[in-house]
Amino acid sequence: ADYQNTTHFTLVRRLSQDEEESGKGDVGEAQYRDMMVSGALLVMLIILVASNTMPLLEAALLSSFLMVLFGCLPQKKAFSAINLRIVLTIVGAFGIAKAVNKTNLAAVMAHMTCELLAPFGSRGIYAGIFIATVGLGVVFHCTAVVSLLFPIVVAISESDNLPVPLHEAMAVLMMGATCQVLSPVSYQTNIMVFSSGCYTFADFPRVGFGIVIIVGIISVGFVDQLIVS
């Protein structure tokens, strides 16, 4: 409560009564067992994903199931941790992303953005690539954004009207793909903070918009100086 109004932290969460009590005194035998089992399950999760034995989603679900099965996480707490508002937000965003991709709207929007800014020269092209990448990153994961825009960026760099160096255009694309701070559903850690901090959707652009502007100015304005062919 002492830090709820401080500017030093973006996320401050009050500990529950169980967590406060567990932090006092010696760790009991049952708590020690839960700690060891939880640690072993975490190591198992990392090994399964790192070795490509199992995808991240399936490995996480398996680890969660085993946490409940071994008694590390009570079933009631596991179900109470599911926030219906967050689930519906994620499902809705995925639905929009799939519709945008299936109807080819994303590619059309990217082309239009670059064409509108083409009269401003190479900087306009770079700005169009950056804006399109950041805009699509609101609902798409960065991997999907890069896969979608890569052929468009290549086509723009080979255009006869206003060709730009491919390595510079790709650098702007990659920097734009890293700016996934405007939406809680664009990246996994965003979802984790969204749930723990009880944030709203509007909190993410409120915090991340300034960062995106700074990255965009540096990427678009100085890409030819920062990237050497």
Side-chain angles (χ1 to χ4, degrees):
D2 296 336
Y3 301 99
Q4 63 181 357
N5 296 320
T6 181
T7 58
H8 297 295
F9 303 100
T10 302
L11 171 60
V12 177
R13 182 174 68 90
R14 181 187 295 274
L15 293 175
S16 64
Q17 184 177 357
D18 294 340
E19 291 173 314
E20 291 179 348
E21 292 177 354
S22 64
K24 301 176 182 179
D26 298 332
V27 178
E29 182 178 348
Q31 289 181 324
Y32 181 78
R33 182 192 69 85
D34 292 343
M35 290 170 54
M36 296 301 294
V37 174
S38 301
L41 292 176
L42 176 61
V43 172
M44 180 196 72
L45 171 64
I46 296 173
I47 293 176
L48 288 175
V49 177
S51 62
N52 290 326
T53 305
M54 188 177 292
L56 177 59
L57 176 60
E58 286 78 355
L61 291 175
L62 175 62
S63 301
S64 302
F65 173 77
L66 293 177
M67 288 275 288
V68 176
L69 182 64
F70 288 117
C72 301
L73 177 65
Q75 185 176 358
K76 185 177 181 180
K77 281 190 175 182
F79 282 107
S80 63
I82 300 175
N83 191 316
L84 184 59
R85 179 174 63 90
I86 296 175
V87 173
L88 292 177
T89 302
I90 296 172
V91 172
F94 285 163
I96 294 174
K98 187 173 182 180
V100 170
N101 191 22
K102 189 174 182 180
T103 57
N104 207 29
L105 178 61
V108 173
M109 291 172 59
H111 269 299
M112 289 180 59
T113 303
C114 294
E115 289 179 1
L116 288 173
L117 296 174
F120 297 97
S122 60
R123 301 295 180 198
I125 293 293
Y126 295 147
I129 294 173
F130 186 84
I131 293 172
T133 306
V134 173
L136 293 174
V138 174
V139 292
F140 287 100
H141 189 271
C142 60
T143 306
V145 174
V146 173
S147 301
L148 180 65
L149 294 184
F150 176 78
I152 298 175
V153 172
V154 173
I156 292 174
S157 66
E158 297 175 350
S159 174
D160 296 330
N161 297 330
L162 185 62
V164 294
L166 178 60
H167 65 283
E168 293 182 4
M170 289 302 302
V172 174
L173 172 64
M174 289 186 292
M175 292 305 298
T178 62
C179 295
Q180 297 207 306
V181 293
L182 301 179
S183 166
V185 298
S186 58
Y187 205 73
Q188 298 94 323
T189 49
N190 294 18
I191 299 177
M192 295 168 59
V193 175
F194 184 50
S195 174
S196 300
C198 300
Y199 289 116
T200 63
F201 199 100
D203 290 330
F204 282 81
R206 187 180 298 116
V207 175
F209 188 73
I211 299 174
V212 173
I213 293 297
I214 294 173
V215 174
I217 292 175
I218 296 175
S219 302
V220 174
F222 303 98
V223 62
D224 53 344
Q225 302 175 33
L226 298 175
I227 306 298
V228 181
S229 57

